[in-house]
């Protein structure tokens, strides 16, 4: 791909970020490592719900004809130290930059552009999936840098259900088949929601999610108005482009479960679901039902990975998934290297404390009693 020398610019306003949608979407399609969380719909909607005035720093690299060949969706983080971090926040499982596969020079150009935009600050990229485009920017970075472990994700091959059942012991596989026969005998049917019906379906999904977790410690952000507004803006255009799929499961005409799966050409991930407690009462294995449907629908288009996204909940391990550790990339200039080491040290201390709590529950109870402990 030709296009001459590369030049950089920084977008700092919400309206300008919104106008980038067509060329951002085209670049997203030319970046093979991108996940659905790098789509313009997801990031711009997240910024509208969660962003702060004056904090936006979207770094763009264009070729000599003005075509977008690289982009880093960044913002100024809250806190006393100068930090640039990624858009997407805690509700985004994978963060990354975008690099045009046809421009091998784009990574070095984006690294230089980010370094200029972040002068005097640390760049802190959380939840970077192995093989992400951000790793190429990290490789071209000329200043101090650190790579740290981040969240654990569990992944399966994107194959139909029989292929997933072959991964587990035969006795357990037979029990899963029996549970799925029960789902079919009850007459639960799955319907993929078309784009015009997505807003109403998301309302039902969130209502079922709240009902499912009532009294059991739901993630508070998933019940917030801004999260609902973010999904309402982001998901319909993602469905229209094939970056997301909303499915409703009906029993006797009533929606008893709903699922949101996010998709890219290489990866699909079950992002959020809700299920009526009546399914538990009827001993329906909701996880197996959702996985069978997701495996069937997402394996048909040549994807390699069916991700269970972040978290190591016991039910995920039933399927013998492959553990994949996200990375945290810290980058800065020579003058601000002490800030990087300070931030990396704090991250390591938090990681060790979390490990201590997992291995020794009494340590968590002790920490909770200390002055200044949360809650």
């Amino acid at each position: 791909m030709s296009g001459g020398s590369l030049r950089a610019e920084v977008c700092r306003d919400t309206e300008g970020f919104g106008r980038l949608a067509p060329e951002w979407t085209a670049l997203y399609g030319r970046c093979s490592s991108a996940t659905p969380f790098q789509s313009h719909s997801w990031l711009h909607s997240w910024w509208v719900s969660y962003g702060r005035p004056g904090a936006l720093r979207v770094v763009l690299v264009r070729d000599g004809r003005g075509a977008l060949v690289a982009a880093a969706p960044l913002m100024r983080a809250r806190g006393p130290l100068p930090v640039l971090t990624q858009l997407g926040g805690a509700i985004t499982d994978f963060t990354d930059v975008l690099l045009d596969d046809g421009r091998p020079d784009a990574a070095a150009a984006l690294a230089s552009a980010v370094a200029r935009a972040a002068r005097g600050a640390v760049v802190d990229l959380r939840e970077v999936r192995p093989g992400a485009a951000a790793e190429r920017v990290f490789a071209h970075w000329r200043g101090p840098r650190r790579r740290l472990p981040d969240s654990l994700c569990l992944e399966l091959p994107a194959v139909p259900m029989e292929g997933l059942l072959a991964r587990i012991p035969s006795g357990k596989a037979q029990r899963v088949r029996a549970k799925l026969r029960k789902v079919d005998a009850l007459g639960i049917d799955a319907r993929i929601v078309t784009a015009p019906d997505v807003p109403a379906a998301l309302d039902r999904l969130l209502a079922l999610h709240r009902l499912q977790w009532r009294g059991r410690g739901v993630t508070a952000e998933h019940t917030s108005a801004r999260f609902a507004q973010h999904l309402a803006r982001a998901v319909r255009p993602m469905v229209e482009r094939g970056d997301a799929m909303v499915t409703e499961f009906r029993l006797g005409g009533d929606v008893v479960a709903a699922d949101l799966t996010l998709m890219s050409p290489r990866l699909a991930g079950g992002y959020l679901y809700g299920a009526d407690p009546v399914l538990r009462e009827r001993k329906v294995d909701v996880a197996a039902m959702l996985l069978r449907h997701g495996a069937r629908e997402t394996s048909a288009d040549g994807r390699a990975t069916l991700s269970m996204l972040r978290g190591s909940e016991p039910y995920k391990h039933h399927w013998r998934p492959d553990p994949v550790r996200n990375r945290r990339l810290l980058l800065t200039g020579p003058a601000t290297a002490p800030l990087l080491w300070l931030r990396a040290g704090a991250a390591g201390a938090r990681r060790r404390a979390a490990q201590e709590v997992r291995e020794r529950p009494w340590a968590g109870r002790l920490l909770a009693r200390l002055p200044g402990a949360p809650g």
Side-chain angles (χ1 to χ4, degrees):
M1 176 179 176
S2 62
S5 61
L6 302 180
R7 57 182 176 83
E9 61 191 64
V10 179
C11 173
R12 297 169 180 256
D13 66 282
T14 302
E15 292 75 17
F17 188 24
R19 289 193 295 271
L20 287 171
E23 53 184 336
W24 190 285
T25 300
L27 175 60
Y28 171 80
R30 300 193 303 274
C31 181
S32 57
S33 60
T35 76
F37 298 107
Q38 281 74 65
S39 69
H40 186 272
S41 295
W42 183 269
L43 291 171
H44 183 260
S45 177
W46 182 90
W47 176 255
V48 171
S49 279
Y50 295 89
R52 295 177 293 111
L56 189 65
R57 301 288 189 277
V58 180
V59 181
L60 308 170
V61 175
R62 299 182 182 278
D63 68 14
R65 297 172 301 182
L68 190 63
V69 298
L74 304 174
M75 66 178 186
R76 282 272 183 176
R78 294 182 186 274
L81 299 179
V83 175
L84 281 185
T85 191
Q86 74 289 331
L87 304 188
I91 65 169
T92 295
D93 290 72
F94 302 127
T95 65
D96 202 1
V97 302
L98 294 178
L99 296 173
D100 189 326
D101 292 335
R103 289 298 304 239
D105 54 347
L110 186 60
S112 297
V114 170
R116 289 193 297 273
R119 189 170 290 117
V122 174
V123 180
D124 188 350
L125 303 179
R126 300 292 307 270
E127 308 300 354
V128 176
R129 189 169 181 267
E135 292 192 333
R136 282 180 273 158
V137 172
F138 185 86
H140 284 280
W141 193 262
R142 294 185 176 180
R145 58 186 182 171
R146 283 290 301 276
R147 181 187 281 112
L148 303 175
D150 218 331
S151 298
L152 181 68
C153 299
L154 299 176
E155 298 185 348
L156 294 166
V159 296
M161 192 63 174
E162 280 302 314
L164 298 180
L165 289 171
R167 296 172 65 87
I168 62 178
S170 59
K172 185 177 289 187
Q174 288 302 325
R175 289 192 292 275
V176 172
R177 290 188 182 95
K179 290 176 180 179
L180 292 174
R181 286 195 295 270
K182 181 173 184 177
V183 170
D184 297 334
L186 285 171
I188 299 175
D189 67 284
R191 181 183 75 90
I192 297 174
V193 178
T194 59
D197 297 329
V198 162
L202 289 175
D203 286 343
R204 289 190 288 269
L205 187 158
L206 291 171
L208 286 168
H209 187 74
R210 291 190 295 269
L211 188 64
Q212 166 192 343
W213 289 100
R214 187 168 58 190
R216 296 195 294 141
V218 67
T219 300
E221 188 57 36
H222 290 168
T223 67
S224 71
R226 65 181 180 177
F227 180 72
Q229 291 160 3
H230 161 62
L231 290 186
R233 280 189 303 269
V235 174
R236 177 171 176 171
M238 293 177 75
V239 167
E240 290 172 340
R241 287 192 300 272
D243 296 331
M245 176 177 67
V246 180
T247 306
E248 292 189 325
F249 298 82
R250 295 176 182 266
L251 176 60
D254 298 323
V255 177
V256 292
D259 171 79
L260 169 60
T261 294
L262 304 183
M263 302 183 295
S264 66
R266 291 190 177 183
L267 174 145
Y271 181 71
L272 189 72
Y273 77 93
D276 193 312
V278 71
L279 295 180
R280 274 203 315 272
E281 295 166 8
R282 301 186 75 159
K283 301 191 184 307
V284 171
D285 188 331
V286 174
M289 178 181 75
L290 296 178
L291 185 59
R292 178 177 66 171
H293 174 76
R296 180 174 62 241
E297 296 299 328
T298 62
S299 63
D301 297 324
R303 293 181 185 86
T305 302
L306 180 58
S307 177
M308 296 179 173
L309 302 182
R310 289 178 297 173
S312 188
E313 296 85 350
Y315 79 89
K316 295 180 180 179
H317 287 277
H318 294 167
W319 301 97
R320 295 192 171 180
D322 299 319
V324 178
R325 178 73 65 177
N326 284 349
R327 299 289 184 259
R328 182 175 185 174
L329 306 182
L330 294 169
L331 313 158
T332 198
T336 45
L339 296 181
L340 185 149
W341 310 133
L342 179 65
R343 198 165 180 88
R350 284 192 296 270
R351 192 168 60 252
R352 289 190 294 273
Q355 181 67 27
E356 184 77 13
V357 170
R358 283 194 296 271
E359 294 178 354
R360 299 175 177 84
W362 58 265
R365 293 192 291 272
L366 179 60
L367 287 170
R369 297 193 193 103
L370 294 177

